[in-house]
Amino acid sequence: MKKLLLSLLLFFFGQSLIAQQSKINFSNNELLSLGKTWGYLKYHHPTISQGKLPWDSLLIVALTAPKKQMVSDVVSSWLKQAQQL
């Protein structure tokens, strides 16, 4: 019984460590800039604030992209998508 309990504990502990590994390619300053821009546009841009664009999903996609992009390129891409609607 102790072996089963120990193996389950190790399994769940190992899974939580794997889930917490970060794959974000931005530095702290870039994340700050990206987050401020994202938040401002979410509440002040007419198309985005009306919910016509999956805004939260776009942030997650940008943060987890396998290739690092410049913050200005990410924001430009977001604004182009908002203007197309």
Side-chain angles (χ1 to χ4, degrees):
M1 182 68 177
K2 288 183 180 182
K3 287 183 181 181
L4 178 62
L5 183 60
L6 181 61
S7 62
L8 285 175
L9 182 64
L10 288 174
F11 173 76
F12 287 118
F13 181 69
Q15 292 297 323
S16 67
L17 287 177
I18 291 170
Q20 293 179 6
Q21 290 179 347
S22 176
K23 295 183 181 181
I24 296 175
N25 294 323
F26 294 100
S27 70
N28 288 341
N29 289 334
E30 291 172 330
L31 283 174
L32 178 67
S33 182
L34 191 64
K36 283 183 174 184
T37 306
W38 176 86
Y40 180 81
L41 291 173
K42 180 172 182 163
Y43 294 105
H44 293 90
H45 191 281
T47 304
I48 298 166
S49 64
Q50 292 174 1
K52 295 180 180 178
L53 194 63
W55 197 239
D56 298 337
S57 299
L58 290 177
L59 177 65
I60 293 172
V61 167
L63 291 177
T64 59
K67 184 179 176 186
K68 183 178 179 182
Q69 299 177 347
M70 298 293 294
V71 172
S72 59
D73 294 339
V74 173
V75 173
S76 295
S77 170
W78 289 346
L79 291 174
K80 285 178 188 175
Q81 291 179 34
Q83 289 175 352
Q84 291 175 354
L85 294 177

